[in-house]
């Protein structure tokens, strides 16, 4: 009888030890699944994105566009391959300030609605105008002050610049990930490799869409915060590396474009842009 009781006691202790070990082992997975789910279900998601475009994968038109842009902005040619966006996502709307790596201030703003993408072309023009006026006063004096609507659609901007910007900075479809539920996140994380970083936090790694992804959380602010970074595994990708920080936030109204360029304004601006482009192309070929 005593022997049987000892066996039962040892079995019970073994089950407790196994249960505790399982909880300790799986806690980081549950924790990260909870954070992912909390952020995905938030009314507002703060986002900081940085991405580096690969020069080797650019088309001739894209490369010429970036060369002209680097000259017009007075930026290093490599700087216009490195871009940063700070903004937030509210359901089907996105607002972000767009930065070139070499500048502390944004050079334009991005607005995304369910049906359209808008760019603050006035900000971009005024940044170019300021640099040209400083570096080339004679030509800068010929550039008029802005007198059109503030924003232009991405489609119209691509037609105006003669370059496929959407393809250059194409986004992989994160909607499928955002629509997952808690248990699906849990399954996703169990399939990823994990290890502790030097600061004691857990880090998850996997390969997704030809990118080596690293996912980690930051507990310092006691909030839902997830950082994702990736580097390309194939040289054919247009984006060679990126990093994203997502945080859950309280929802409040996003900025919306105060005015949009009309077709007749775009036609007028196109003639002005041709003047700037011809001048910059002549300079970049020198």
């Amino acid at each position: 009888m005593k022997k049987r009781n000892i066996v039962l006691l040892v079995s019970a202790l073994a089950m407790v030890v196994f249960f505790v070990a399982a909880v300790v082992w799986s806690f980081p997975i549950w924790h990260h699944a909870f954070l992912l789910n909390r952020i995905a279900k938030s009314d507002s998601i703060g986002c900081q994105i940085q991405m580096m475009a690969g020069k080797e994968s650019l088309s001739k038109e894209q490369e010429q566009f970036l060369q002209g842009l680097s000259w017009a902005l007075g930026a290093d040619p490599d700087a216009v391959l490195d871009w940063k966006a700070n903004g937030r996502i509210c359901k089907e709307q996105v607002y972000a300030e767009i930065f070139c790596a070499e500048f502390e201030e944004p050079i334009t703003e991005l607005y995304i609605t369910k049906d359209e993408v808008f760019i603050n072309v006035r900000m971009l023009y005024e940044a170019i105008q300021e640099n040209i006026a400083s570096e080339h006063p004679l030509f800068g004096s010929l550039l008029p002050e802005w007198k059109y609507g503030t924003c232009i659609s991405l489609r119209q901007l691509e037609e105006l610049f003669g370059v496929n910007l959407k393809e250059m900075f194409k986004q992989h479809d994160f909607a499928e990930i955002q629509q997952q539920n808690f248990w699906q996140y849990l399954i996703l994380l169990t399939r990823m490799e994990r290890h502790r970083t030097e600061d004691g936090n857990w880090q998850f790694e996997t390969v997704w869409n030809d990118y080596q992804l690293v996912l980690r959380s930051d507990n310092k602010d006691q909030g839902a915060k997830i950082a994702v970074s990736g580097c390309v595994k194939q040289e054919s990708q247009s984006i060679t590396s990126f990093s994203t920080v997502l945080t859950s936030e309280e929802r409040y109204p996003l900025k919306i474009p105060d005015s949009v360029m009309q077709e007749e304004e775009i036609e007028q601006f196109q003639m002005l842009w041709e003047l700037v482009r011809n001048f910059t192309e002549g300079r970049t070929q020198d």
Side-chain angles (χ1 to χ4, degrees):
M1 190 69 178
K2 289 183 179 180
K3 186 175 182 180
R4 182 182 177 185
N5 289 339
I6 293 174
V7 171
L8 290 174
L9 180 60
V10 171
S11 299
L13 289 174
M15 291 180 63
V16 171
V17 171
F18 175 80
F19 176 77
V20 172
V23 169
V24 172
W25 179 88
S26 64
F27 175 76
I29 298 176
W30 287 81
H31 177 64
H32 280 74
F34 170 78
L35 291 179
L36 282 169
N37 188 65
R38 180 178 171 185
I39 291 174
K41 305 307 180 189
S42 297
D43 289 333
S44 178
I45 301 174
C47 60
Q48 298 177 356
I49 302 173
Q50 185 167 8
M51 59 178 61
M52 175 72 74
K55 185 181 297 184
E56 296 77 9
S57 63
L58 297 176
S59 68
K60 182 179 179 179
E61 292 76 15
Q62 292 168 344
E63 188 173 0
Q64 289 177 343
F65 167 74
L66 289 178
Q67 286 178 348
L69 186 63
S70 69
W71 183 90
L73 290 172
D76 185 88
D78 289 334
V80 294
L81 298 172
D82 190 357
W83 294 88
K84 182 175 68 173
N86 290 342
R88 58 185 38 82
I89 305 167
C90 289
K91 300 303 180 183
E92 295 179 338
Q93 292 183 313
V94 177
Y95 166 76
E97 294 179 328
I98 308 299
F99 298 77
C100 179
E102 200 163 301
F103 301 95
E104 294 183 0
E105 298 297 324
I107 64 169
T108 189
E109 294 173 326
L110 175 71
Y111 308 85
I112 302 177
T113 66
K114 182 179 180 180
D115 303 313
E116 191 60 271
V117 178
F118 294 99
I119 305 291
N120 189 326
V121 71
R122 176 174 183 170
M123 283 182 65
L124 180 59
Y125 174 80
E126 290 179 344
I128 292 174
Q129 181 187 38
E130 181 180 356
N131 175 66
I132 292 179
S134 174
E135 299 295 329
H136 310 278
L138 181 60
F139 180 69
S141 65
L142 301 176
L143 298 179
E145 296 300 316
W146 188 263
K147 58 179 181 180
Y148 313 110
T150 302
C151 293
I152 188 172
S153 73
L154 180 60
R155 174 186 57 80
Q156 292 169 325
L157 190 69
E158 290 178 327
E159 293 175 356
L160 182 65
F161 288 165
V163 63
N164 190 333
L165 297 174
K166 187 180 295 184
E167 178 65 22
M168 189 190 309
F169 295 105
K170 63 183 178 181
Q171 301 176 359
H172 294 293
D173 187 10
F174 286 96
E176 182 179 346
I177 296 179
Q178 191 173 358
Q179 292 170 1
Q180 305 295 308
N181 59 38
F182 172 81
W183 299 106
Q184 290 169 318
Y185 288 129
L186 196 65
I187 294 172
L188 175 66
L189 290 167
T190 58
R191 296 172 178 172
M192 300 172 68
E193 296 182 7
R194 62 172 178 152
H195 60 84
R196 280 190 181 277
T197 60
E198 294 181 355
D199 57 7
N201 290 325
W202 285 100
Q203 180 171 288
F204 293 78
E205 298 183 11
T206 190
V207 176
W208 179 73
N209 280 2
D210 296 327
Y211 287 94
Q212 181 69 38
L213 289 187
V214 176
L215 182 149
R216 56 189 177 275
S217 65
D218 185 352
N219 299 319
K220 294 180 180 179
D221 298 329
Q222 301 300 318
K225 182 177 181 180
I226 289 288
V228 181
S229 59
C231 58
V232 71
K233 295 177 67 67
Q234 295 185 5
E235 295 183 358
S236 59
Q237 290 286 353
S238 57
I239 302 299
T240 58
S241 63
F242 67 88
S243 62
T244 304
V245 177
L246 302 175
T247 55
S248 60
E249 299 179 349
E250 293 184 4
R251 186 174 184 178
Y252 61 90
L254 291 181
K255 291 182 64 175
I256 59 175
D258 52 10
S259 61
V260 178
M261 292 180 69
Q262 304 301 313
E263 288 297 332
E264 57 271 17
E265 292 181 319
I266 294 175
E267 292 175 1
Q268 296 174 24
F269 178 65
Q270 188 168 16
M271 293 187 291
L272 176 60
W273 178 250
E274 285 297 326
L275 176 65
V276 175
R277 184 164 66 176
N278 291 335
F279 184 77
T280 58
E281 285 180 352
R283 293 288 176 170
T284 55
Q285 290 173 2
D286 290 345

